[in-house]
Short mmCIF file of all heavy atoms in Angstrom, two decimals:
data_model
loop_
_atom_site.label_atom_id
_atom_site.label_comp_id
_atom_site.label_asym_id
_atom_site.label_seq_id
_atom_site.Cartn_x
_atom_site.Cartn_y
_atom_site.Cartn_z
N ASN A 54 78.78 85.98 110.13
CA ASN A 54 78.82 84.59 110.50
C ASN A 54 79.66 83.86 109.45
O ASN A 54 79.64 84.29 108.24
CB ASN A 54 77.38 83.96 110.63
CG ASN A 54 76.64 84.54 111.71
OD1 ASN A 54 77.25 84.80 112.88
ND2 ASN A 54 75.38 84.79 111.50
N PHE A 94 89.07 94.99 124.71
CA PHE A 94 90.16 95.26 123.61
C PHE A 94 90.42 94.03 122.81
O PHE A 94 90.47 94.10 121.48
CB PHE A 94 91.45 95.84 124.12
CG PHE A 94 92.55 96.21 123.27
CD1 PHE A 94 92.45 97.38 122.56
CD2 PHE A 94 93.49 95.35 122.96
CE1 PHE A 94 93.50 97.66 121.60
CE2 PHE A 94 94.53 95.58 122.15
CZ PHE A 94 94.47 96.88 121.41
N ASP A 132 100.32 93.49 112.20
CA ASP A 132 101.19 92.30 111.77
C ASP A 132 100.31 91.17 111.24
O ASP A 132 100.73 90.66 110.23
CB ASP A 132 101.92 91.84 113.00
CG ASP A 132 103.02 92.78 113.35
OD1 ASP A 132 103.39 93.58 112.75
OD2 ASP A 132 103.51 92.59 114.53
N LEU A 325 87.95 113.27 83.22
CA LEU A 325 88.76 113.83 84.06
C LEU A 325 90.12 113.10 84.21
O LEU A 325 91.18 113.92 84.32
CB LEU A 325 88.16 114.08 85.42
CG LEU A 325 86.96 114.98 85.64
CD1 LEU A 325 86.29 114.89 86.95
CD2 LEU A 325 87.38 116.38 85.22
N ALA A 335 102.98 113.45 85.51
CA ALA A 335 102.38 114.72 85.99
C ALA A 335 103.30 115.68 86.61
O ALA A 335 104.09 115.18 87.43
CB ALA A 335 101.11 114.55 86.80
#
Side-chain angles (χ1 to χ4, degrees):
N54 296 318
F94 179 84
D132 287 346
L325 292 177

